[in-house]
Coordinates of all heavy atoms in Angstrom, one line a residue:
M982 N 14.3 1.1 -2.5 CA 14.6 0.1 -3.7 C 15.5 -0.9 -3.3 O 16.6 -0.5 -2.7 CB 15.1 0.9 -4.8 CG 14.1 1.7 -5.8 SD 13.0 0.5 -6.6 CE 14.0 -0.2 -7.9
P983 N 15.3 -2.1 -3.4 CA 16.3 -3.1 -3.1 C 17.4 -3.1 -4.1 O 17.2 -2.6 -5.4 CB 15.6 -4.4 -3.2 CG 14.3 -4.2 -4.1 CD 14.1 -2.7 -3.8
G984 N 18.5 -3.6 -3.7 CA 19.7 -3.6 -4.5 C 20.3 -5.0 -4.7 O 19.8 -5.9 -4.0
A985 N 21.4 -5.1 -5.3 CA 22.0 -6.4 -5.5 C 22.4 -7.0 -4.2 O 22.5 -8.3 -4.2 CB 23.3 -6.2 -6.4
D986 N 22.7 -6.3 -3.1 CA 23.0 -6.9 -1.9 C 21.9 -7.3 -1.0 O 22.1 -7.9 0.1 CB 24.0 -6.0 -1.2 CG 25.4 -5.9 -1.9 OD1 25.7 -6.8 -2.6 OD2 26.0 -4.8 -1.7
D987 N 20.7 -7.0 -1.5 CA 19.5 -7.3 -0.6 C 19.0 -8.6 -0.9 O 19.0 -9.2 -2.0 CB 18.4 -6.2 -0.9 CG 18.9 -4.9 -0.3 OD1 19.3 -4.8 0.8 OD2 18.8 -3.8 -1.1
R988 N 18.3 -9.2 0.2 CA 17.7 -10.5 0.1 C 16.4 -10.6 0.9 O 16.5 -10.2 2.1 CB 18.6 -11.7 0.5 CG 18.2 -13.0 0.4 CD 19.4 -14.0 0.5 NE 18.9 -15.4 0.3 CZ 18.9 -15.8 -0.9 NH1 19.2 -15.2 -1.9 NH2 18.5 -17.1 -1.1
A989 N 15.3 -10.9 0.3 CA 14.0 -10.9 1.1 C 13.8 -12.3 1.5 O 13.9 -13.3 0.6 CB 12.9 -10.2 0.2
L990 N 13.2 -12.5 2.7 CA 12.8 -13.8 3.1 C 11.1 -13.8 2.8 O 10.5 -13.0 3.3 CB 13.0 -14.0 4.6 CG 12.5 -15.2 5.2 CD1 12.9 -16.5 4.5 CD2 12.8 -15.3 6.7
L991 N 10.7 -14.8 2.1 CA 9.3 -14.9 1.8 C 8.7 -16.2 2.4 O 9.3 -17.3 2.2 CB 9.1 -15.0 0.3 CG 9.7 -13.8 -0.5 CD1 9.5 -14.1 -2.1 CD2 9.2 -12.5 -0.1
M992 N 7.8 -16.1 3.2 CA 7.2 -17.4 3.8 C 5.7 -17.4 3.6 O 4.9 -17.1 4.5 CB 7.5 -17.4 5.3 CG 8.9 -17.6 5.7 SD 9.2 -17.7 7.4 CE 8.8 -16.1 8.0
T993 N 5.3 -17.7 2.4 CA 3.9 -17.8 2.0 C 3.8 -18.5 0.6 O 4.8 -18.6 0.0 CB 3.4 -16.3 2.0 OG1 1.9 -16.3 1.9 CG2 3.9 -15.4 0.9
A994 N 2.6 -18.8 0.3 CA 2.4 -19.3 -1.0 C 2.9 -18.3 -2.1 O 2.6 -17.2 -2.0 CB 0.9 -19.6 -1.2
Y995 N 3.6 -19.0 -3.0 CA 4.2 -18.0 -4.1 C 3.2 -17.4 -4.9 O 3.3 -16.3 -5.3 CB 5.1 -19.0 -4.9 CG 5.9 -18.1 -6.0 CD1 7.1 -17.4 -5.7 CD2 5.4 -18.0 -7.3 CE1 7.7 -16.7 -6.5 CE2 6.1 -17.3 -8.3 CZ 7.3 -16.6 -7.8 OH 7.9 -15.9 -8.8
A996 N 1.9 -17.9 -5.1 CA 0.9 -17.4 -5.9 C 0.4 -16.1 -5.5 O -0.2 -15.4 -6.3 CB -0.1 -18.5 -6.1
D997 N 0.4 -15.8 -4.2 CA -0.2 -14.5 -3.7 C 0.9 -13.4 -3.9 O 1.6 -13.3 -4.7 CB -0.8 -14.7 -2.4 CG 0.1 -15.0 -1.2 OD1 1.3 -15.0 -1.5 OD2 -0.4 -15.0 -0.1
G998 N 0.8 -12.5 -2.8 CA 1.7 -11.3 -2.8 C 3.1 -11.5 -2.9 O 3.8 -10.7 -3.3
A999 N 3.5 -12.7 -2.5 CA 5.1 -13.0 -2.6 C 5.5 -13.0 -4.0 O 6.6 -12.6 -4.3 CB 5.3 -14.4 -2.0
A1000 N 4.6 -13.4 -4.9 CA 5.0 -13.3 -6.3 C 5.3 -11.9 -6.8 O 6.3 -11.6 -7.5 CB 3.9 -13.9 -7.2
L1001 N 4.5 -10.9 -6.3 CA 4.9 -9.5 -6.7 C 6.0 -9.0 -6.0 O 6.8 -8.3 -6.6 CB 3.6 -8.7 -6.2 CG 2.3 -9.0 -6.9 CD1 1.2 -8.1 -6.3 CD2 2.4 -8.8 -8.4
V1002 N 6.3 -9.4 -4.8 CA 7.6 -9.1 -4.2 C 8.7 -9.6 -4.8 O 9.7 -8.9 -5.2 CB 7.5 -9.4 -2.7 CG1 8.9 -9.1 -2.0 CG2 6.4 -8.7 -1.9
T1003 N 8.6 -10.8 -5.3 CA 9.7 -11.6 -5.9 C 10.0 -10.8 -7.2 O 11.2 -10.5 -7.5 CB 9.3 -13.0 -6.2 OG1 9.2 -13.7 -4.9 CG2 10.4 -13.7 -6.9
A1004 N 9.0 -10.5 -8.0 CA 9.2 -9.9 -9.3 C 10.0 -8.6 -9.1 O 11.0 -8.2 -9.8 CB 7.9 -9.7 -10.0
A1005 N 9.5 -7.8 -8.1 CA 10.1 -6.4 -7.9 C 11.6 -6.5 -7.4 O 12.4 -5.9 -7.9 CB 9.3 -5.6 -6.8
W1006 N 11.8 -7.6 -6.5 CA 13.2 -7.8 -6.1 C 14.1 -8.3 -7.2 O 15.1 -7.8 -7.3 CB 13.3 -8.7 -4.9 CG 12.8 -7.9 -3.6 CD1 11.5 -7.3 -3.4 CD2 13.6 -7.5 -2.5 NE1 11.5 -6.8 -2.1 CE2 12.8 -6.8 -1.6 CE3 14.9 -7.8 -2.3 CZ2 13.3 -6.4 -0.4 CZ3 15.4 -7.3 -1.0 CH2 14.5 -6.6 -0.1
F1007 N 13.6 -9.1 -8.0 CA 14.5 -9.7 -9.0 C 14.8 -8.5 -10.1 O 15.9 -8.4 -10.6 CB 13.8 -10.7 -9.8 CG 13.8 -12.1 -9.1 CD1 13.0 -13.3 -9.5 CD2 14.7 -12.3 -8.0 CE1 13.2 -14.4 -8.7 CE2 14.8 -13.5 -7.4 CZ 13.9 -14.5 -7.7
E1008 N 13.7 -7.7 -10.4 CA 13.9 -6.6 -11.3 C 15.0 -5.5 -10.8 O 15.5 -5.0 -11.6 CB 12.6 -5.8 -11.5 CG 12.4 -4.7 -12.4 CD 12.6 -5.2 -13.9 OE1 12.2 -6.3 -14.2 OE2 13.2 -4.4 -14.7
S1009 N 15.1 -5.5 -9.5 CA 16.2 -4.5 -9.0 C 17.5 -5.3 -8.8 O 18.3 -4.6 -8.3 CB 15.6 -4.1 -7.6 OG 14.4 -3.3 -7.8
G1010 N 17.6 -6.6 -9.1 CA 18.8 -7.3 -9.0 C 19.1 -7.9 -7.7 O 20.1 -8.4 -7.4
A1011 N 18.1 -7.8 -6.9 CA 18.1 -8.4 -5.5 C 17.8 -9.9 -5.6 O 17.3 -10.4 -6.7 CB 17.2 -7.7 -4.6
S1012 N 17.7 -10.6 -4.5 CA 17.3 -12.0 -4.5 C 16.3 -12.3 -3.3 O 16.1 -11.4 -2.5 CB 18.7 -12.9 -4.3 OG 19.2 -12.6 -2.9
V1013 N 15.8 -13.6 -3.4 CA 14.8 -13.9 -2.4 C 15.1 -15.3 -1.9 O 15.8 -16.0 -2.6 CB 13.3 -13.9 -3.0 CG1 12.9 -12.5 -3.4 CG2 13.2 -14.9 -4.0
E1014 N 14.6 -15.5 -0.8 CA 14.8 -16.9 -0.2 C 13.2 -17.3 0.1 O 12.6 -16.6 0.9 CB 15.5 -16.9 1.2 CG 15.5 -18.2 1.9 CD 16.5 -19.2 1.4 OE1 17.5 -18.6 0.8 OE2 16.4 -20.4 1.7
L1015 N 12.8 -18.2 -0.7 CA 11.4 -18.5 -0.5 C 11.2 -20.0 0.2 O 11.8 -20.9 -0.1 CB 10.7 -18.9 -2.0 CG 9.2 -19.3 -2.0 CD1 8.4 -18.2 -1.4 CD2 8.8 -19.6 -3.4
I1016 N 10.6 -19.8 1.4 CA 10.5 -20.9 2.3 C 9.0 -21.7 2.1 O 8.0 -20.9 2.0 CB 10.6 -20.7 3.9 CG1 12.0 -20.1 4.1 CG2 10.3 -21.8 4.7 CD1 12.2 -19.6 5.5
D1017 N 9.0 -22.9 2.0 CA 7.8 -23.6 1.8 C 7.1 -23.8 3.2 O 7.3 -24.5 4.0 CB 8.0 -25.0 1.3 CG 6.8 -25.8 1.0 OD1 5.7 -25.2 0.9 OD2 6.8 -27.0 0.9
G1018 N 6.1 -22.8 3.4 CA 5.3 -22.7 4.7 C 6.1 -22.0 5.7 O 7.2 -21.3 5.5
V1019 N 5.7 -22.1 6.9 CA 6.3 -21.5 8.1 C 7.3 -22.4 8.7 O 7.0 -23.3 9.2 CB 5.3 -20.9 9.1 CG1 5.9 -20.3 10.2 CG2 4.2 -20.1 8.5
D1020 N 8.6 -22.0 8.5 CA 9.7 -22.9 9.0 C 10.5 -21.9 9.8 O 11.5 -21.3 9.4 CB 10.5 -23.5 7.9 CG 11.6 -24.4 8.4 OD1 11.9 -24.4 9.6 OD2 12.1 -25.3 7.6
V1021 N 10.1 -21.7 11.1 CA 10.8 -20.8 12.0 C 12.2 -21.2 12.2 O 13.1 -20.3 12.2 CB 10.0 -20.8 13.3 CG1 10.7 -19.9 14.4 CG2 8.6 -20.2 13.2
A1022 N 12.5 -22.4 12.4 CA 14.0 -22.8 12.5 C 14.8 -22.4 11.4 O 16.0 -21.9 11.5 CB 14.1 -24.3 12.9
H1023 N 14.3 -22.6 10.2 CA 15.1 -22.2 9.0 C 15.3 -20.8 8.9 O 16.3 -20.2 8.7 CB 14.4 -22.8 7.7 CG 15.2 -22.5 6.5 ND1 16.3 -23.2 6.2 CD2 15.0 -21.6 5.5 CE1 16.8 -22.8 5.0 NE2 16.1 -21.9 4.6
A1024 N 14.2 -20.1 9.1 CA 14.3 -18.4 9.1 C 15.2 -18.1 10.2 O 16.1 -17.1 9.9 CB 12.8 -18.0 9.5
D1025 N 15.2 -18.6 11.5 CA 16.1 -18.3 12.5 C 17.5 -18.5 12.0 O 18.5 -17.7 12.2 CB 15.8 -19.1 13.7 CG 16.5 -18.5 15.0 OD1 16.5 -17.2 15.1 OD2 16.8 -19.3 15.8
E1026 N 17.9 -19.6 11.3 CA 19.2 -19.8 10.8 C 19.6 -18.8 9.7 O 20.7 -18.3 9.8 CB 19.1 -21.2 10.2 CG 20.5 -21.6 9.6 CD 20.4 -22.9 8.9 OE1 19.8 -23.9 9.4 OE2 21.0 -23.1 7.8
L1027 N 18.7 -18.4 8.8 CA 19.0 -17.4 7.9 C 19.3 -16.0 8.6 O 20.2 -15.3 8.1 CB 17.8 -17.2 6.9 CG 17.5 -18.4 6.0 CD1 16.2 -18.1 5.2 CD2 18.7 -18.5 5.0
F1028 N 18.5 -15.7 9.6 CA 18.8 -14.4 10.3 C 20.2 -14.5 11.0 O 20.9 -13.4 11.1 CB 17.7 -14.2 11.5 CG 16.3 -13.9 10.8 CD1 15.2 -14.4 11.4 CD2 16.2 -13.1 9.7 CE1 13.9 -14.2 11.0 CE2 14.9 -12.8 9.2 CZ 13.8 -13.4 9.8
A1029 N 20.4 -15.7 11.7 CA 21.7 -15.7 12.3 C 22.9 -15.6 11.4 O 24.0 -15.0 11.7 CB 21.8 -17.1 13.0
R1030 N 22.7 -16.1 10.1 CA 23.9 -15.9 9.0 C 23.9 -14.5 8.5 O 24.9 -14.2 8.0 CB 23.6 -16.9 7.9 CG 24.0 -18.4 8.2 CD 24.0 -19.1 6.9 NE 22.7 -19.9 6.8 CZ 22.2 -20.3 5.7 NH1 22.7 -20.0 4.6 NH2 21.0 -21.0 5.8
G1031 N 22.9 -13.9 8.7 CA 22.8 -12.4 8.1 C 22.5 -12.4 6.6 O 22.3 -13.5 6.0
G1032 N 22.3 -11.3 6.0 CA 22.0 -11.2 4.6 C 20.5 -11.1 4.3 O 20.2 -10.7 3.3
I1033 N 19.6 -11.3 5.3 CA 18.2 -11.1 5.0 C 17.9 -9.6 5.4 O 18.2 -9.2 6.4 CB 17.4 -12.0 5.9 CG1 17.5 -13.5 5.5 CG2 15.8 -11.7 5.8 CD1 17.1 -13.8 4.1
T1034 N 17.5 -8.8 4.4 CA 17.3 -7.4 4.6 C 15.8 -7.1 4.7 O 15.4 -5.9 5.0 CB 18.1 -6.5 3.5 OG1 17.5 -7.1 2.3 CG2 19.5 -6.8 3.6
A1035 N 14.9 -8.0 4.3 CA 13.5 -7.8 4.4 C 12.7 -9.0 4.6 O 13.3 -10.2 4.1 CB 13.0 -7.1 3.1
V1036 N 11.5 -8.9 5.1 CA 10.7 -10.2 5.2 C 9.3 -9.9 4.8 O 8.7 -8.8 5.1 CB 10.6 -10.5 6.8 CG1 9.7 -11.7 6.9 CG2 12.0 -11.0 7.4
F1037 N 8.8 -10.7 3.9 CA 7.5 -10.6 3.5 C 6.6 -11.8 4.1 O 7.1 -13.0 3.9 CB 7.3 -10.7 1.9 CG 5.9 -10.7 1.5 CD1 5.3 -9.4 1.3 CD2 5.3 -11.8 1.2 CE1 4.0 -9.4 0.9 CE2 3.9 -11.7 0.8 CZ 3.3 -10.6 0.7
A1038 N 5.7 -11.4 4.9 CA 4.9 -12.5 5.6 C 3.6 -11.9 6.0 O 3.5 -10.8 6.4 CB 5.6 -13.0 6.8
P1039 N 2.4 -12.7 5.7 CA 1.2 -12.2 6.2 C 1.1 -12.2 7.7 O 2.0 -12.9 8.4 CB 0.2 -13.2 5.6 CG 1.0 -14.4 5.3 CD 2.4 -13.9 5.0
P1040 N 0.1 -11.5 8.3 CA 0.2 -11.5 9.8 C 0.2 -12.8 10.5 O 0.9 -12.8 11.6 CB -1.2 -10.7 10.1 CG -1.5 -10.0 8.8 CD -0.9 -10.8 7.7
T1041 N -0.5 -13.8 10.1 CA -0.3 -15.1 10.8 C 1.1 -15.7 10.7 O 1.5 -16.2 11.7 CB -1.4 -16.2 10.2 OG1 -1.2 -16.2 8.9 CG2 -2.8 -15.7 10.5
V1042 N 1.7 -15.6 9.6 CA 3.1 -16.0 9.5 C 4.0 -15.2 10.3 O 4.9 -15.7 11.0 CB 3.5 -16.0 8.1 CG1 4.9 -16.4 7.9 CG2 2.6 -17.0 7.2
L1043 N 3.9 -13.9 10.2 CA 4.7 -13.0 11.1 C 4.6 -13.3 12.6 O 5.5 -13.3 13.2 CB 4.4 -11.6 10.7 CG 5.2 -10.5 11.3 CD1 6.7 -10.8 10.9 CD2 4.7 -9.2 11.0
A1044 N 3.3 -13.6 13.0 CA 3.1 -13.8 14.4 C 3.9 -15.2 14.9 O 4.5 -15.2 15.9 CB 1.6 -13.9 14.8
K1045 N 3.9 -16.1 14.0 CA 4.5 -17.5 14.2 C 6.1 -17.1 14.3 O 6.8 -17.7 15.1 CB 4.2 -18.5 13.2 CG 2.9 -19.0 13.5 CD 2.4 -19.9 12.2 CE 1.0 -20.4 12.5 NZ 0.6 -21.4 11.3
L1046 N 6.6 -16.3 13.3 CA 8.0 -16.0 13.3 C 8.4 -15.3 14.6 O 9.4 -15.6 15.2 CB 8.3 -15.2 12.0 CG 9.7 -14.8 11.8 CD1 10.6 -16.1 11.7 CD2 9.8 -13.9 10.6
V1047 N 7.7 -14.3 15.0 CA 8.0 -13.6 16.1 C 7.9 -14.4 17.4 O 8.9 -14.3 18.3 CB 7.0 -12.3 16.3 CG1 7.2 -11.7 17.7 CG2 7.3 -11.3 15.2
E1048 N 6.9 -15.2 17.5 CA 6.9 -16.1 18.7 C 8.0 -17.1 18.7 O 8.6 -17.3 19.8 CB 5.5 -16.9 18.6 CG 5.4 -17.9 19.7 CD 5.2 -17.1 21.2 OE1 4.7 -16.0 21.2 OE2 5.5 -17.8 22.1
G1049 N 8.4 -17.6 17.6 CA 9.5 -18.6 17.5 C 10.9 -18.0 17.7 O 11.9 -18.7 18.0
T1050 N 11.0 -16.7 17.6 CA 12.3 -16.0 17.7 C 12.3 -14.9 18.8 O 13.3 -14.2 18.8 CB 12.8 -15.5 16.4 OG1 11.8 -14.5 15.9 CG2 12.9 -16.4 15.3
R1051 N 11.3 -14.9 19.6 CA 11.1 -13.8 20.6 C 12.3 -13.7 21.6 O 12.6 -12.7 22.1 CB 9.8 -13.9 21.3 CG 9.9 -15.1 22.4 CD 8.6 -15.2 23.2 NE 7.4 -14.6 22.8 CZ 6.4 -14.2 23.6 NH1 6.5 -14.6 24.8 NH2 5.4 -13.6 23.1
H1052 N 13.0 -14.7 21.8 CA 14.2 -14.7 22.7 C 15.4 -14.1 22.1 O 16.5 -13.9 22.8 CB 14.5 -16.1 23.2 CG 14.9 -17.0 22.1 ND1 14.0 -17.6 21.1 CD2 16.2 -17.5 21.8 CE1 14.7 -18.3 20.3 NE2 16.0 -18.3 20.6
K1053 N 15.3 -13.7 20.9 CA 16.6 -13.2 20.2 C 16.2 -11.8 19.7 O 15.2 -11.4 19.4 CB 17.0 -14.1 19.0 CG 17.3 -15.4 19.4 CD 17.7 -16.2 18.2 CE 18.1 -17.7 18.7 NZ 18.5 -18.4 17.5
R1054 N 17.4 -10.9 19.6 CA 17.3 -9.7 19.0 C 17.7 -9.9 17.5 O 18.9 -10.3 17.3 CB 18.2 -8.8 19.7 CG 18.2 -7.4 19.2 CD 19.2 -6.5 19.9 NE 19.2 -5.2 19.2 CZ 19.0 -4.0 19.8 NH1 19.0 -4.0 21.1 NH2 19.1 -2.8 19.1
I1055 N 16.9 -9.5 16.6 CA 17.2 -9.6 15.2 C 17.4 -8.2 14.6 O 16.4 -7.3 14.8 CB 16.1 -10.4 14.4 CG1 16.1 -11.8 15.0 CG2 16.5 -10.4 12.9 CD1 14.8 -12.6 14.5
E1056 N 18.6 -7.9 14.1 CA 18.8 -6.5 13.5 C 18.8 -6.6 12.0 O 19.3 -7.5 11.4 CB 20.1 -6.0 14.0 CG 19.9 -5.8 15.6 CD 21.1 -5.2 16.2 OE1 21.8 -4.4 15.5 OE2 21.5 -5.5 17.3

């Protein structure tokens, strides 16, 4: 269960599965960062700042994210 300190990164159209994730996270008091499309540079910046505890991305988006950040270790 996400809590108040959790933040999910969503990189997909809001109308599909991201909407369900958003509703569940908001219901638990957590927050989301919704990116318009695949913006690897912005996602990388968010990872560097910390605070992202989960990522929701379909396989194609996840592949682009991994490819764009493969030189870094993200914990």
Side-chain angles (χ1 to χ4, degrees):
M982 280 294 287
D986 294 331
D987 291 312
R988 186 168 187 79
L990 174 60
L991 310 173
M992 291 186 294
T993 188
Y995 187 80
D997 68 1
L1001 297 173
V1002 173
T1003 298
W1006 281 66
F1007 284 167
E1008 182 70 26
S1009 299
S1012 62
V1013 300
E1014 175 84 22
L1015 179 61
I1016 295 178
D1017 184 19
V1019 182
D1020 186 342
V1021 174
H1023 185 73
D1025 194 32
E1026 180 183 319
L1027 292 171
F1028 293 142
R1030 279 193 262 152
I1033 298 294
T1034 56
V1036 177
F1037 176 83
T1041 54
V1042 173
L1043 186 57
K1045 290 176 183 178
L1046 181 62
V1047 169
E1048 180 64 30
T1050 60
R1051 70 175 19 200
H1052 63 285
K1053 297 182 177 182
R1054 180 180 173 135
I1055 300 171
E1056 296 183 31

